[in-house]
Amino acid sequence: MSSLRIAQVRATTVAVPLEAPLRHSNGAHWGYFVRTIVEVEATNGLVGLGEMGGGGQSAEQAILALQPYLVGHDPANLEALRFMIANPTASLYNNRTQLLAAIEFACLDLLGQDTGLPVHDLLGGQVREEVEFASYLFYRYPGRDGTGEVRTIDQLVDEARRLKEQHGFRVHKLKAGVFDTGVELEGYRALAEAFPDDRFRYDPNGALSTEDSIRFAHAIEDLPNDYLEDPVYSLTGMRRVRENTRVPLATNTVVVNFEQLAANVLNPAVDVILLDTTFWGGIRPCIRAGGICEAFSLGVAVHSSGELGIQLATMLHLGAVLPNLSFAADAHYHHLLDDVVVGGLRPYADGKMAVPTEPGLGVRLDRDKVARYAELYRELGPYPYDRDPSRPDWYPLLPNSDFADHTDDRLPDALADLYARWR
C-alpha cells in the first residue's frame, strides 16, 4: 500500500497531425491521429498520465464515468483496480480494457513520480537501455502540402530509404492489404532487393484468404523475413498457413488476451505475439503475457496502435523489461508531425530509442500543445477509421477481394474537403 490516493480524473481529446494520411486494409487515418489524454491527479498534487485511442465526447465521458471507481483508491493497488474496472464477465457488457490501460499507465506514472523511480524499475528493472524499432511503412495519400504520397513501388522504396536515412531503421514493416496482393508482393520484394542487409515484415491485417496467404508465404520464403503478420483473420486460418510455410507467423489481432494465448499454446497457430499496452489492458498484462511466451518459447514483439508520446513511453518501458524481446518494436510515431509532450517528438538514433530514465513514465504534457491540438480536434472532429476516403461506399470483407486501384493518383474529394477546412 502506498500513501497516494486518487483525487480526480481528467480527459482531453486531441487531434495531432500526420505527415500524410495512412492507408490500411480497412480504410485510413485521415491525416491526423485522434487520441484521448488521461490525467489522474493524486491528493498530494502529483499527476499521472495515460493515453488511449479514439476520442471525442464519448471517450472523455467514459473516462470520467470511472471517477467513482477511482477517487480515494490507492494507485498501487492495481490488481484490485483491474477487477473493479474490467472484470472479465462484466466486460462482456462494458468492455473497458482500453480504459483500464489508460488508467494503469497513469497510476504507474504516479507511483514512479512518488518513489523517484522510472516505471521500468517498478516492473522488475530494465534489461536493455534502448529499444529497436521497425520503419512501419504505409501506403499514403498526399498530405495537405501535396507531398508524402506512397502508392507506386518506386515511392514505397523511396519512402523506406528516407526513413532509413533519417532514423536508421534496419527492419521494415509494410502495412498492406490496400492494393491487389500481387502488386503488394512486387513492392515487398522490391524493398528486400533495395535493402539487402535489412529484415522485413508484411502485415495485411487479416485481409487475405487462407489460400492466398499460403501462396504469398511461399512467394517470400527466400527473403530475410522477420515474420508474416496476420495474413488471415482467425486462429484456425493462421494455423493452416503456419502448417504450409517456413515463414514465422505473428499476430496482434487473434491473440490479444490470455484465453487466446492459452489456446495458441495448446494448439500453436502463431509463432510471435505482438504485445500492445492498450489492447492487453496495460503494461503489466503485457509483461505477464511475455512471461508465458518465454516459458513456451514463443517470440515477442511490441505492437503499435497509433501512439503519441505517452503511450510511446509505455512501449519503451515494456521493451526495457522484456528479456525475450527478440524483434524490433512497431511504431506509428515517426509519421507524426508533432507531439503533446514536453520536448516534442522523441528522437531515434540508429533505429533505436532510449528508454526514459526520469521518474514515472518520464514524459510531461506540453500544455500549450495540448490546448492547440484539442482545438484542432474541435475544428476537425473525428474521422471514420474504417472508411477509405477515395471509396466512401466501400467496406472490406474478410477475406477481402475488392482492393483499391493502385493506378489512381487523384486526391479523394473527401480529403480535399478536409484540407480546405484545416486551418
Side-chain angles (χ1 to χ4, degrees):
M1 179 178 292
S2 76
S3 61
L4 294 171
R5 293 295 179 271
I6 296 173
Q8 62 172 315
V9 183
R10 296 185 290 273
T12 307
T13 301
V14 295
V16 180
L18 296 163
E19 293 177 339
L22 308 178
R23 306 178 73 172
H24 52 76
S25 66
N26 291 294
H29 292 287
W30 290 42
Y32 55 100
F33 280 159
V34 175
R35 308 290 289 179
T36 296
I37 307 303
V38 176
E39 300 177 68
V40 176
E41 184 171 347
T43 51
N44 65 356
L46 291 176
V47 177
L49 299 180
E51 178 187 325
M52 61 178 287
Q57 188 176 15
S58 61
E60 293 176 6
Q61 288 178 344
I63 289 291
L64 295 178
L66 297 179
Q67 199 130 239
Y69 298 79
L70 298 173
V71 171
H73 189 79
D74 180 355
N77 199 353
L78 287 168
E79 278 302 295
L81 200 62
R82 175 164 72 102
F83 285 93
M84 288 167 60
I85 293 178
N87 179 291
T89 53
S91 287
L92 294 172
Y93 302 91
N94 60 8
N95 188 359
R96 292 174 174 162
T97 302
Q98 294 197 30
L99 302 179
L100 173 64
I103 298 299
E104 190 233 50
F105 302 161
C107 287
L108 289 172
D109 192 19
L110 278 175
L111 292 170
Q113 292 178 59
D114 189 54
T115 59
L117 297 173
V119 162
H120 57 72
D121 279 348
L122 300 177
L123 299 173
Q126 67 185 119
V127 296
R128 62 183 58 84
E129 296 178 352
E130 297 176 310
V131 175
E132 184 172 9
F133 284 85
S135 64
Y136 216 163
L137 300 161
F138 280 77
Y139 294 107
R140 311 198 311 186
Y141 287 112
R144 286 185 296 152
D145 62 357
T147 67
E149 182 189 50
V150 178
R151 177 180 49 82
T152 69
I153 291 175
D154 287 345
Q155 287 172 329
L156 179 63
V157 173
D158 287 347
E159 174 68 358
R161 183 172 290 110
R162 179 184 75 87
L163 292 174
K164 184 176 179 67
E165 291 174 354
Q166 184 175 353
H167 301 301
F169 296 125
R170 299 175 296 176
V171 180
H172 307 280
K173 170 177 172 174
L174 177 58
K175 177 64 77 177
V178 176
F179 300 129
D180 179 83
T181 308
V183 172
E184 293 189 344
L185 173 61
E186 189 178 353
Y188 188 74
R189 294 196 64 90
L191 288 169
E193 182 178 352
F195 308 102
D197 297 326
D198 294 351
R199 298 194 62 80
F200 302 89
R201 308 166 182 178
Y202 179 82
D203 174 19
N205 280 128
L208 308 187
S209 69
T210 304
E211 292 73 23
D212 280 345
S213 298
I214 293 170
R215 283 191 286 269
F216 191 95
H218 287 173
I220 65 169
E221 283 185 346
D222 61 312
L223 302 181
N225 305 292
D226 270 353
Y227 45 70
L228 178 57
E229 180 179 340
D230 286 314
V232 62
Y233 184 78
S234 77
L235 271 174
T236 52
M238 293 286 279
R239 189 173 295 112
R240 284 186 57 206
V241 177
R242 185 175 184 266
E243 291 168 350
N244 288 278
T245 180
R246 296 191 300 271
V247 180
L249 298 190
T251 187
N252 76 279
T253 60
V254 297
V255 179
V256 293
N257 58 45
F258 289 96
E259 292 78 12
Q260 293 167 352
L261 181 56
N264 188 66
V265 166
L266 290 170
N267 192 1
V270 177
D271 304 288
V272 182
I273 307 300
L274 306 185
L275 299 172
D276 186 301
T277 55
T278 287
F279 290 0
W280 283 79
I283 308 173
R284 294 162 62 256
C286 288
I287 294 172
R288 291 201 301 272
I292 295 171
C293 291
E294 181 181 10
F296 289 96
S297 299
L298 293 171
V300 165
V302 176
H303 181 254
S304 165
S305 49
E307 66 287 327
L308 303 180
I310 300 167
Q311 186 168 358
L312 176 70
T314 72
M315 296 158 61
L316 290 168
H317 286 286
L318 172 63
V321 302
L322 285 175
N324 52 328
L325 179 63
S326 53
F327 295 97
D330 290 339
H332 290 73
Y333 193 68
H334 50 272
H335 293 281
L336 288 166
L337 287 173
D338 203 358
D339 201 349
V340 295
V341 297
V342 172
L345 290 169
R346 183 178 290 270
Y348 294 93
D350 194 26
K352 301 175 182 179
M353 276 193 192
V355 176
T357 57
E358 301 86 351
L361 290 176
V363 293
R364 291 292 164 260
L365 289 179
D366 182 322
R367 297 288 176 182
D368 290 340
K369 288 186 177 180
V370 171
R372 180 191 312 167
Y373 294 126
E375 177 59 30
L376 183 62
Y377 175 75
R378 288 189 289 270
E379 177 184 327
L380 299 180
Y383 59 84
Y385 169 86
D386 58 351
R387 287 295 179 269
D388 183 339
S390 66
R391 299 185 289 168
D393 298 324
W394 168 87
Y395 59 90
L397 302 177
L398 287 177
N400 189 33
S401 58
D402 183 11
F403 295 101
D405 180 0
H406 71 283
T407 67
D408 186 354
D409 62 356
R410 296 172 297 176
L411 180 69
D413 291 342
L415 285 179
D417 292 343
L418 174 68
Y419 293 166
R421 293 191 292 113
W422 195 330
R423 294 174 294 178

